[in-house]
Amino acid sequence: MYLKELKIWNFRKYGNSGDAGNLPGLIVEFHKNFNLIIGENDAGKTAIIDAIKITLGTSSEDNYRISEDDFYVSSGGSTSQEIVIECIFTALSEQEAGLFLEWLSFDKNKKYELQVRFIAKKLSDVFSGERIERVYQAGPPNSATRLEGVARELIRATYLKPLRDAENELKPGVRSRLAQVLKNHQAFQKQDPNVQHELEVIFNDANKKVENFFDKPYEEGKTIKFELENYLQNFFHQPINNEKIYDPDFKIVQVKLNEILRKLSLLLSDLPAGLGSLNLLFIATELLLLNSDISHGANITLIEEIEAHLHPQAQLRLIKFLQSEDQEKRLKGQFILTTHSTTLAASTKLENIIVLNSSVAYPMGEQHTQLHKDDYLFLERFLDSTKANLFFAKGVIFVEGDAENLLLPTVAEILDRPLHRFGVSIVNIGNTAFQRYSKIFCRSEEWLTKYPELKIPVSIITDVDVRPLSYYENKGLSGKIYSLESQDQIASIAKILEIEDDDLAVFTGHVFLTKKEVRESFSLLNTELKAESYEVICSILENELSVPLLNSMREKKRENIIAKLEEDRSKIQVFVAPHWTLEYQIALSSIWSHLLVATHNLRYKKPTSIENTKKYEQLYKKLQSLPD
């Protein structure tokens, strides 16, 4: 079984929705194995973790008390009177269904479902004033009853708090977390309460050896125990009527399993270890309870800010392990983590990420976005930490290369609109595969029937990439070229290549200078065509190199780029450099002289100034007069 869904009404920043206020203010859909919740500060990540803790309880029995501050306050200042948190479990095995039988219901697919609910109400009476009543129950709302006994224990979550003190958690003591973990591990479950556990036998033998040591004379006729007995005889009254005599015994620990476990500590060899290493040891200890031999229960692990005390490489190794197939074989459980780390976001499969934005949780699984399976495979390879900052942004600008990545922040600074101040991230994808990334923000039709769109504005800045006539003239090229620009051309060539028209979209607006280039490019679409077929294709593509032709190609390609990328015009806007590239546009602009100086200084390593570029003004005027 696993936690499929969390619903929250009026808890902290999450209120309610619907005309009657009867719908939850937040719904979170979880992956059955691994979930990484990401979002900016105050997005509500901790509220989600706390909601699960409060409703299910924790294995360390953290006692969280609902306070006045936990009740939702509306924008108008009114405070809600009731908090409801609901956890819905699914995929129960037959054995688990038997354990939760009296609380079970069925989902729309007629599968077992367990609803666990926490309700907190504000009550007032004349004796105690205002107080908060807390109710824990399970089952459908109209027949819910209190969840108790073994069933309650089976849904408890393991919780690792942020900035946890791993060193103290692993030390001996009455509230030792190490003792709690070991006590619940199957290796310490006694089948027969009348038979000593192996660890009790070991400590019993050790206690006897300790006692023998203190009974051994250190001088003739003197032992430490004998001396203590003499002192005690003087300190205590003389026993009468068979009264018990106080007799000192030296022991390592009482021979009871719980007492033994409380005396244990866990260290990394004998070497001094820092917070990061101890944190990893503590996490490894918690995972002991999630081994594959545990067959019942949810086994939920909640980890806040998993990056605490861990450097990026340690974060990477840990997150990769928790998502690996090896983990799924060895550990039966569900992980729900929160993070601010772009390293962790980039190292997590996109389908396991949940983005919090505007008080809505957006799972990134395939059924929730417009991404296809091959998009997920692509992003898993190329979504690195420099690109993963898009998940933490209030707005995203996608660019295709280094020039835009360097220039845009500088332009924004000059305009007194620094991007960092407005929470805008620039993502350099290094190619023109914008749809692979922009569709991350486009929700599926099924999602939009129930939940809102992801309201992160997205801009795409790209080049039209149709060269001007001057480029070909400078190369000494003129006359015939081969270009794909019309729908008639596309239909004719698609028929020859035996492919769909859409498969040729990548070549729209592209100029081929030779027949060899045509063959090399189109042979990728059909490797079995004969040479004469390419002669026919070249005749279809053949055009006279001219300004009107280039202008026509440029406009059609620009329209195609925008139509392809602006699938949701309310959220994704495309800006195309209309005359070739962004750099070329700057060369045609009023700051041409600054670009000229920068290019000269970089190329020749001999500093010059704008004053020395006056001789180029005639060239600049000629550039501006060119119709293309």
Side-chain angles (χ1 to χ4, degrees):
M1 62 187 289
Y2 70 91
L3 179 60
K4 177 182 73 172
E5 198 170 66
L6 170 71
K7 297 180 180 180
I8 295 176
W9 290 262
N10 300 320
F11 180 60
R12 297 193 190 159
K13 71 176 297 175
Y14 301 115
N16 53 45
S17 59
D19 296 335
N22 58 340
L23 298 178
L26 179 73
I27 299 176
V28 189
E29 296 184 25
F30 293 106
H31 189 276
K32 65 179 181 179
N33 297 122
F34 187 87
N35 301 269
L36 185 69
I37 302 174
I38 62 179
E40 60 182 341
N41 289 335
D42 300 321
K45 299 185 293 295
T46 298
I48 291 174
I49 297 296
D50 285 348
I52 298 172
K53 282 167 47 189
I54 292 167
T55 308
L56 305 183
T58 65
S59 56
S60 53
E61 299 182 353
D62 300 284
N63 186 20
Y64 185 88
R65 296 188 64 83
I66 290 289
S67 69
E68 178 74 26
D69 294 335
D70 291 316
F71 287 82
Y72 172 74
V73 180
S74 69
S75 57
S78 60
T79 304
S80 60
Q81 299 299 304
E82 181 179 75
I83 293 172
V84 179
I85 302 170
E86 186 175 86
C87 294
I88 301 175
F89 292 88
T90 191
L92 282 78
S93 66
E94 292 296 328
Q95 293 90 341
E96 288 167 338
L99 291 167
F100 294 101
L101 184 60
E102 62 182 282
W103 301 282
L104 283 185
S105 56
F106 295 92
D107 63 17
K108 61 182 180 181
N109 298 317
K110 298 183 179 180
K111 301 287 186 181
Y112 291 130
E113 184 176 87
L114 175 66
Q115 301 175 28
V116 181
R117 204 169 293 104
F118 167 78
I119 302 171
K121 292 182 180 179
K122 289 183 181 179
L123 301 175
S124 299
D125 58 54
V126 294
F127 299 105
S128 59
E130 191 172 85
R131 60 187 177 87
I132 298 173
E133 179 186 66
R134 298 187 295 175
V135 178
Y136 297 89
Q137 55 183 220
N142 57 351
S143 60
T145 58
R146 188 173 182 83
L147 188 68
E148 295 178 319
V150 175
R152 177 73 179 166
E153 294 299 319
L154 287 175
I155 63 169
R156 289 188 183 276
T158 297
Y159 172 61
L160 278 70
K161 60 186 176 184
L163 298 175
R164 44 203 163 272
D165 188 353
E167 184 175 7
N168 283 326
E169 296 280 6
L170 298 174
K171 283 183 177 179
V174 175
R175 296 187 59 82
S176 164
R177 179 59 188 155
L178 175 62
Q180 292 175 350
V181 170
L182 296 179
K183 178 183 176 183
N184 289 288
H185 194 278
Q186 60 179 2
F188 298 92
Q189 305 300 311
K190 295 171 68 172
Q191 301 299 322
D192 186 346
N194 297 317
V195 177
Q196 282 193 320
H197 186 274
E198 183 180 352
L199 204 57
E200 291 176 319
V201 174
I202 292 171
F203 272 81
N204 194 37
D205 292 341
N207 280 338
K208 289 179 180 178
K209 291 180 180 179
V210 169
E211 287 183 29
N212 291 337
F213 173 81
F214 285 100
D215 271 338
K216 186 170 63 176
Y218 65 89
E219 286 183 9
E220 187 176 348
K222 290 185 178 180
T223 69
I224 292 178
K225 185 177 180 181
F226 178 75
E227 288 188 69
L228 282 173
E229 288 174 342
N230 283 336
Y231 287 130
L232 288 176
Q233 286 178 8
N234 289 291
F235 295 163
F236 288 104
H237 64 271
Q238 190 69 27
I240 56 176
N241 298 328
N242 297 320
E243 191 176 6
K244 181 181 176 182
I245 300 174
Y246 289 98
D247 192 15
D249 284 324
F250 285 95
K251 295 182 183 297
I252 301 173
V253 66
Q254 288 185 354
V255 186
K256 292 181 180 178
L257 188 56
N258 285 350
E259 292 299 323
I260 293 172
L261 297 180
R262 287 173 183 169
K263 300 298 182 184
L264 295 178
S265 61
L266 186 61
L267 305 171
L268 285 170
S269 302
D270 294 325
L271 301 176
L275 289 175
S277 299
L278 289 172
N279 199 8
L280 288 172
L281 181 61
F282 180 62
I283 293 172
T285 304
E286 292 289 349
L287 296 183
L288 286 175
L289 291 180
L290 303 178
N291 62 63
S292 59
D293 292 324
I294 299 176
S295 56
H296 305 311
N299 293 324
I300 298 172
T301 300
L302 308 172
I303 309 178
E304 283 198 83
E305 297 178 18
I306 193 171
E307 67 270 22
H309 307 310
L310 300 181
H311 64 83
Q313 285 302 316
Q315 297 175 32
L316 182 61
R317 288 192 296 270
L318 179 59
I319 212 81
K320 288 292 186 184
F321 170 74
L322 294 179
Q323 294 178 89
S324 67
E325 292 182 6
D326 182 53
Q327 177 270 116
E328 291 185 22
K329 291 176 183 176
R330 288 199 288 166
L331 304 176
K332 280 191 176 180
Q334 183 181 23
F335 291 89
I336 301 173
L337 293 70
T338 67
T339 188
H340 297 105
S341 169
T342 55
T343 299
L344 293 183
S347 306
T348 300
K349 295 177 183 177
L350 187 60
E351 63 201 42
N352 297 121
I353 288 176
I354 299 171
V355 176
L356 288 185
N357 182 270
S358 302
S359 298
V360 179
Y362 294 94
M364 290 294 155
E366 186 180 344
Q367 68 272 33
H368 304 304
T369 73
Q370 292 184 19
L371 292 165
H372 303 297
K373 283 187 177 179
D374 59 334
D375 294 325
Y376 282 94
L377 295 173
F378 174 89
L379 292 169
E380 192 173 330
R381 292 194 299 272
F382 296 108
L383 192 63
D384 59 27
S385 59
T386 61
K387 300 178 181 67
N389 63 357
L390 61 89
F391 293 120
F392 301 88
K394 289 184 176 296
V396 178
I397 301 175
F398 288 111
V399 299
E400 63 178 275
D402 294 332
E404 295 88 346
N405 197 28
L406 293 170
L407 285 169
L408 289 177
T410 303
V411 172
E413 291 279 354
I414 293 171
L415 296 174
D416 194 28
R417 294 290 188 275
L419 300 180
H420 65 271
R421 187 193 301 170
F422 298 93
V424 176
S425 293
I426 289 187
V427 179
N428 177 11
I429 67 174
N431 53 59
T432 58
F434 292 109
Q435 279 188 305
R436 300 276 199 181
Y437 295 90
S438 63
K439 280 188 175 180
I440 291 174
F441 300 95
C442 298
R443 308 305 287 175
S444 66
E445 292 183 9
E446 181 184 354
W447 171 274
L448 293 175
T449 60
K450 299 183 290 184
Y451 309 115
E453 182 59 87
L454 180 53
K455 298 175 182 177
I456 296 179
V458 177
S459 294
I460 296 174
I461 297 179
T462 187
D463 302 325
V464 74
D465 280 330
V466 176
R467 295 181 173 97
L469 183 62
S470 56
Y471 171 87
Y472 299 100
E473 290 176 344
N474 290 337
K475 296 286 185 180
L477 301 170
S478 60
K480 296 187 187 312
I481 61 169
Y482 307 93
S483 63
L484 182 64
E485 56 169 323
S486 72
Q487 191 59 43
D488 290 340
Q489 286 177 306
I490 291 173
S492 299
I493 295 173
K495 186 176 181 180
I496 295 170
L497 293 173
E498 298 177 352
I499 59 175
E500 298 294 329
D501 290 6
D502 291 344
D503 295 332
L504 286 169
V506 67
F507 295 118
T508 303
H510 190 77
V511 173
F512 304 95
L513 300 178
T514 66
K515 290 182 178 181
K516 182 181 178 182
E517 285 186 18
V518 173
R519 178 159 191 160
E520 288 176 348
S521 299
F522 285 96
S523 64
L524 298 173
L525 302 176
N526 189 329
T527 58
E528 299 179 357
L529 284 183
K530 296 179 180 179
E532 53 266 29
S533 298
Y534 286 106
E535 287 295 331
V536 177
I537 291 174
C538 287
S539 67
I540 295 171
L541 295 175
E542 189 175 87
N543 280 293
E544 195 70 33
L545 183 61
S546 65
V547 170
L549 171 66
L550 294 173
N551 283 341
S552 173
M553 291 172 57
R554 190 176 290 120
E555 185 57 32
K556 287 177 180 177
K557 188 171 181 183
R558 179 178 174 276
E559 290 174 358
N560 288 340
I561 291 172
I562 293 175
K564 179 181 178 182
L565 297 177
E566 280 193 358
E567 295 189 27
D568 181 355
R569 291 181 180 271
S570 66
K571 193 165 57 61
I572 297 176
Q573 287 190 295
V574 181
F575 302 90
V576 183
H579 288 95
W580 185 7
T581 64
L582 176 65
E583 299 92 322
Y584 188 72
Q585 287 299 128
I586 294 174
L588 294 179
S589 73
S590 59
I591 62 170
W592 69 274
S593 55
H594 295 276
L595 177 65
L596 187 62
V597 169
T599 305
H600 176 279
N601 292 345
L602 181 64
R603 183 170 183 178
Y604 297 106
K605 311 296 183 185
K606 293 179 180 179
T608 188
S609 63
I610 292 177
E611 286 70 25
N612 293 334
T613 65
K614 298 297 182 184
K615 59 183 178 181
Y616 295 111
E617 286 187 1
Q618 189 176 359
L619 173 62
Y620 171 62
K621 289 177 181 178
K622 182 181 178 182
L623 282 172
Q624 285 191 314
S625 67
L626 292 175
D628 64 337

